[in-house]
Structures are given as C-alpha cells and as structure tokens.
Amino acid sequence: AQSVTQLDSQVPVFEEAPVELRCNYSSSVSVYLFWYVQYPNQGLQLLLKYLSGSTLVKGINGFEAEFNKSQTSFHLRKPSVHISDTAEYFCAVSSLNTGGFKTIFGAGTRLFVKA
Amino acid sequence: DTAVSQTPKYLVTQMGNDKSIKCEQNLGHDTMYWYKQDSKKFLKIMFSYNNKELIINETVPNRFSPKSPDKAHLNLHINSLELGDSAVYFCASSNREVDTIYFGEGSWLTVV
C-alpha cells in the first residue's frame, strides 16, 4: 500500500526567505509524484509533477522539487517566497494498484508568508 | 471557460435530507473523481470513473451514490444526510489515470 507523509502541518516564513516543504512517500512499486496548491476557497491546482526523466522538476510560480528515490522524498522548494504564496500545499503520489492507478494526497502543509 | 465546474458552490441543508451535487468537465478527459475535504483540509478520494465506468469506490457509505450519464459528467447524490457529511466536495478530472488532476472549485456542504 502507498502512503504520503507531509512532515510539517504549518510552515511560517518571512517574505523573500527561502522555504522547503517536505514530503515523504512509501510504495512498493514505481510512483509518480505531484505537488498541488490550494488557495483559500478554491480547488487544488498543479504546481509541478515528476513522471520520469530529470529528478529536478520546475513548476509554476518559481517552485521546484527534487525526486529522491533512495530517501523516498519529493520536497518542494522556493528560493524567495511572496505574500501571495500563502496557501495550502499538497503532495500527491500515484501508483499502480490492483484496481488500477490510484492517487493519494498528503495531509497538506499550510505555508504562511509574513511581511 | 471553467474546465471543471460543479454546482452548487454552497449548500446548507438539514439532517435526513437528500441532495445532489452536479459536475461537468469540458476538457475531454476520460477519468472523473469525487474527493471529500474535511475541516482539517484532509483530502480523500471517494469515487473514480473512467469512461462512465466505476473504477474506484473507497469505503464510502452507500448513502453516497455517484452517477455518470456520460464521460463529461459525474454527479454525486447523497441520501439521508448526516452531520458528519459536512465538508467540501471536489469534483475533478484527468486525461489518464496517472496525470494532472484538474479540480473544480468545490461545493461547501453544511448539514445542520
């Protein structure tokens, strides 16, 4: 069975500081990894994804993430955050199960950017 | 144009009532989903359909019944609503089962 753990439920950070949101997963099969962002009162939207190829993936709004297979991690980073980055961030993992591919989401990390 | 649209956005209803949430996607996707997000933001899949066929049915009470009249629509009907059903319900779609999932804006259901 697969699982996703987002190690921090809340991350407060000052504007223009760097940030890392951590995500670890467990799965016995190959995985595909995603980060989604949810702004207040909205649905989720894709930030970036890793399906194959380069383990460093770049997404929208200056975010990037690195797939580390040995550490089963897919941490999200941004070198300098803005107030507008305040949102909930979800890591998600897709893998092939008996009933087909299934995507599960982590519990979310609330990024709060302070002025 | 909204890619995944769901209605209503807000719904307040009494315990025991029956309600439906409608969802439509104009992305031409084959796979559609219903997710439930609780007050702690935890997001859990409820159902997944591929070309109108049910492929994932998590341990959801059978008071919840999805219906897919065609691959662009996936509606959710809920019977005998309970207080614990209060949540945000998201409809979503994807082109394939492993690909970007596109979410609707959510339907805020409050059961009183």
Side-chain angles (χ1 to χ4, degrees):
Chain A
Q2 64 195 80
S3 66
V4 183
T5 302
Q6 290 184 241
L7 296 154
D8 306 295
S9 59
Q10 294 186 68
V11 174
V13 63
F14 285 103
E15 194 174 19
E16 298 183 6
V19 71
E20 179 181 81
L21 306 184
R22 297 180 292 167
C23 174
N24 286 88
Y25 68 91
S26 67
S27 176
S28 57
V29 297
S30 296
V31 295
Y32 306 90
L33 299 157
F34 305 78
W35 275 98
Y36 289 83
V37 60
Q38 183 180 27
Y39 298 105
N41 298 324
Q42 293 186 27
L44 284 71
Q45 55 184 282
L46 182 74
L47 268 180
L48 48 80
K49 61 185 176 184
Y50 171 79
L51 300 182
S52 65
S54 173
T55 57
L56 180 64
V57 292
K58 294 188 183 299
I60 63 172
N61 301 340
F63 284 93
E64 64 179 32
E66 184 153 22
F67 170 50
N68 187 320
K69 189 174 181 180
S70 62
Q71 296 188 5
T72 61
S73 67
F74 191 55
H75 300 334
L76 180 71
R77 301 185 184 96
K78 185 169 181 177
S80 175
V81 294
H82 302 292
I83 297 285
S84 59
D85 292 323
T86 294
E88 194 85 22
Y89 291 79
F90 292 91
C91 181
V93 173
S94 288
S95 63
L96 183 60
N97 294 268
T98 51
F101 280 98
K102 185 176 175 181
T103 299
I104 63 170
F105 287 79
T109 296
R110 171 131 178 92
L111 175 64
F112 179 59
V113 182
K114 300 177 284 186
Chain B
D1 285 345
T2 304
V4 181
S5 59
Q6 52 183 110
T7 56
K9 188 172 177 75
Y10 300 101
L11 186 55
V12 181
T13 188
Q14 291 187 326
M15 277 195 303
N17 284 350
D18 302 338
K19 291 294 178 186
S20 293
I21 306 172
K22 295 185 176 181
C23 178
E24 175 182 6
Q25 54 97 0
N26 63 6
L27 297 167
H29 289 164
D30 288 336
T31 306
M32 294 188 72
Y33 314 83
W34 277 108
Y35 283 87
K36 179 180 179 181
Q37 187 174 48
D38 63 24
S39 58
K40 295 184 178 179
K41 300 290 188 182
F42 185 69
L43 195 67
K44 185 176 179 182
I45 189 166
M46 300 172 69
F47 303 102
S48 171
Y49 271 72
N50 185 270
N51 273 321
K52 302 194 299 177
E53 182 181 342
L54 180 67
I55 53 174
I56 291 177
N57 182 352
E58 292 296 299
T59 50
V60 176
N62 57 16
R63 298 182 295 104
F64 291 79
S65 53
K67 285 189 171 51
S68 182
D70 55 61
K71 75 172 195 177
H73 295 83
L74 180 62
N75 304 322
L76 183 66
H77 188 75
I78 315 169
N79 289 326
S80 303
L81 279 156
E82 300 176 358
L83 292 176
D85 297 331
S86 295
V88 184
Y89 293 85
F90 286 101
C91 179
S93 72
S94 65
N95 194 26
R96 300 171 296 157
E97 290 169 305
V98 179
D99 206 340
T100 303
I101 298 175
Y102 292 82
F103 286 82
E105 295 279 298
S107 294
W108 271 252
L109 173 65
T110 302
V111 182
V112 297

